[in-house]
Amino acid sequence: MIGLIGGTGAEGRGLALRFAMAGRKVMIGSRNPERAASAAEEVRNLASDLDIQGSDNVTAAKNSQVVIIAVPYAGHKSVLAQIKDHLVGKVVVDVVVPLIFKDGVAHASIIEEGSVAQQAQSILPASFVVGAFHNISAHDLLIPDQPIDCDVVICSDSLKAKQCAIELAQLIPGIRPVDGNGLECSRYVEDFTALLLNINRIYGRHSMVKISGI
Ligand SMILES: NC(=O)c1ccc[n+]([C@@H]2O[C@H](COP(=O)([O-])OP(=O)(O)OC[C@H]3O[C@@H](n4cnc5c(N)ncnc54)[C@H](OP(=O)(O)O)[C@@H]3O)[C@@H](O)[C@H]2O)c1
C-alpha cells in the first residue's frame, strides 16, 4: 500500500491516480476521513479499476509500506510528529516545497535543517527519508491520458529509500528517475520548484524538468 499524507490536495491526488493506474493499492490520507473518502472517490472516477481508499492520516501511515508526505510546508512538522510512530522502518517520500509568495512571485523559504527532506529525516530518525517528485505538475498528473515527460530528481542518504523512490517514479510512464545524491542536495530540487512556478505564470503552462547530458 502507498499512503499519501495530505493526499486530498492536487499533488497527492495526482500521484494517487498515477500509482493506482500502475496497479498499486493507494490510501489517501487527510486530517478529515470524510474528506479523504470523497477525494478517493473523485480520483477513482478518473479511470477504471483503481484501488484507492481514503482515511485519516494516521491510518494511512499505519497501513502503508511507503508513505508520501504531500502537505503544504506550514503543516510539515506537525503532520510528521503526528504520524511518526507509524513510520518507523519505512520509506518516507517527501514532496513538500517550502514556498512563499511575495507580490505574485514564488520564492523558496530558508529551512534551518538545510532542506525540507532533511527536516523530515531529523523528525523521523527511524525512517528512511527521500526527497522526490518536487518538480512535477499536479495538474498534468491529474489528467489520466496526459503524457508526462520529465525527470524526477531523487535525493536520499539511504540506498533503500532511493531505490524505492526510483521504482515509484518508474510506475509513471514518461518519468525518468535521476539520482540527485544525498538529502543535503534536496534543497536545490525543492527550491527549483519556485522557479518553475514563476515560469508557469509567464508562459501559462505547467513546466517540468529534464536534465540533459546524462
Ligand atoms: N501542486 C503541485 O503541482 C505540486 C507539485 C510538486 C510539489 N508540490 C508540493 O506538494 C505539497 C502538496 O501540494 P498541494 O498543491 O497538493 O497542496 P495543498 O492542496 O495546499 O495541500 C494538500 C493537503 O494538505 C492538507 N493540509 C493543508 N494544510 C495543512 C496543515 N497545516 N497541516 C496538515 N495538513 C494540511 C490538506 O488536506 P486535508 O485538509 O484533507 O487534511 C490539503 O488538501 C506541497 O508542499 C507542494 O509544495 C505541489
Side-chain angles (χ1 to χ4, degrees):
M1 179 84 79
I2 301 170
L4 288 136
I5 307 304
T8 55
E11 187 70 3
R13 281 181 288 118
L15 290 172
L17 171 66
R18 297 298 181 137
F19 294 146
M21 283 170 64
R24 300 292 298 268
K25 286 178 188 291
V26 174
M27 190 171 275
I28 288 179
S30 166
R31 290 168 295 181
N32 176 330
E34 285 165 18
R35 225 171 11 246
S38 124
E41 186 181 4
E42 184 194 315
V43 180
R44 275 197 308 272
N45 288 334
L46 294 176
S48 53
D49 298 326
L50 303 183
D51 190 341
I52 305 178
Q53 303 164 46
S55 74
D56 61 274
N57 282 330
V58 170
T59 305
K62 200 192 285 186
N63 291 336
S64 301
Q65 288 75 49
V66 182
V67 176
I68 298 176
I69 311 298
V71 297
Y73 179 65
H76 187 249
K77 283 186 185 174
S78 60
V79 89
L80 290 182
Q82 206 191 352
I83 59 175
K84 174 181 174 163
D85 291 347
H86 305 292
L87 301 181
V88 172
K90 295 183 182 177
V91 171
V92 176
V93 183
D94 204 317
V95 311
V96 173
V97 179
L99 289 173
I100 44 175
F101 292 87
K102 273 189 212 147
D103 300 326
V105 179
H107 300 269
S109 54
I110 293 167
I111 305 299
E112 199 185 324
E113 294 85 348
S115 65
V116 175
Q118 284 170 292
Q119 181 180 91
Q121 189 67 80
S122 72
I123 297 169
L124 309 170
S127 304
F128 303 95
V129 174
V130 52
F133 298 105
H134 304 98
N135 304 148
I136 189 162
S137 156
H139 176 274
D140 286 13
L141 287 175
L142 272 166
I143 303 171
D145 54 3
Q146 171 76 36
I148 306 284
D149 181 24
C150 72
D151 289 346
V152 161
V153 181
I154 292 169
C155 300
S156 182
D157 296 338
S158 154
L159 281 180
K160 163 183 164 163
K162 211 176 255 185
Q163 187 53 39
C164 175
I166 288 170
E167 286 165 17
L168 282 179
Q170 286 171 334
L171 291 176
I172 305 175
I175 288 185
R176 178 180 66 162
V178 172
D179 189 339
N181 210 353
L183 280 182
E184 68 184 318
C185 291
S186 187
R187 66 193 297 180
Y188 307 118
V189 192
E190 294 167 18
D191 290 7
F192 200 79
T193 310
L195 177 64
L196 294 178
L197 289 178
N198 293 316
I199 290 170
N200 290 352
R201 199 167 60 94
I202 293 163
Y203 287 86
R205 303 296 294 264
H206 304 106
S207 59
M208 294 187 240
V209 166
K210 278 201 93 149
I211 293 163
S212 63
I214 52 169

